[in-house]
Amino acid sequence: MNLEINVTETDNQNVAYLSGEVDVYTASKLKETLTPLAEQSDKNLIVDLSGVDYIDSTGLGIFIGTLKTTEKTGNTLMLTGLNERVRRLFEITGLNEVIDIEVDNKREEA
């Protein structure tokens, strides 16, 4: 399956809306999109996963790399719109402890 990415930018944040699957086949496209967004100074990054049903370990690695990049620039990364399956993956791997995840419109602090 393909991965569609739409980005909106405001003065202080970038929002990436993902739809499809985040896996070994789509990871390079995701990285090519998120890395420049994470590198922008004074812009927090929100990734909306409401259109994503599947993420593999390669995709998780992209989010870890993106988190490190945002931390270097003094920005934040927040994930939102996770369905139960995707949220469980972040919990099992412990990434919900290091990445801010918005759960039911309530922010879960890492």
Side-chain angles (χ1 to χ4, degrees), residues 38-39 64-77 98-100 110:
E39 289 173 339
I64 293 167
T66 301
L67 175 65
K68 290 178 180 179
T69 303
T70 58
E71 289 175 344
K72 285 180 188 174
T73 58
N75 297 324
T76 61
L77 169 66
V98 294
I99 298 176
D100 286 343

Side-chain angles (χ1 to χ4, degrees), residues 20-62:
E21 294 184 356
V22 179
D23 57 22
V24 67
Y25 302 106
T26 61
S28 62
K29 179 179 181 179
L30 181 61
K31 183 176 181 178
E32 289 170 7
T33 301
L34 293 184
T35 299
L37 296 175
E39 289 173 339
Q40 292 181 14
S41 59
D42 299 324
K43 284 210 176 190
N44 295 318
L45 177 57
I46 298 172
V47 180
D48 186 325
L49 299 172
S50 55
V52 174
D53 290 322
Y54 177 80
I55 299 177
D56 71 3
S57 60
T58 308
L60 291 176
I62 299 300

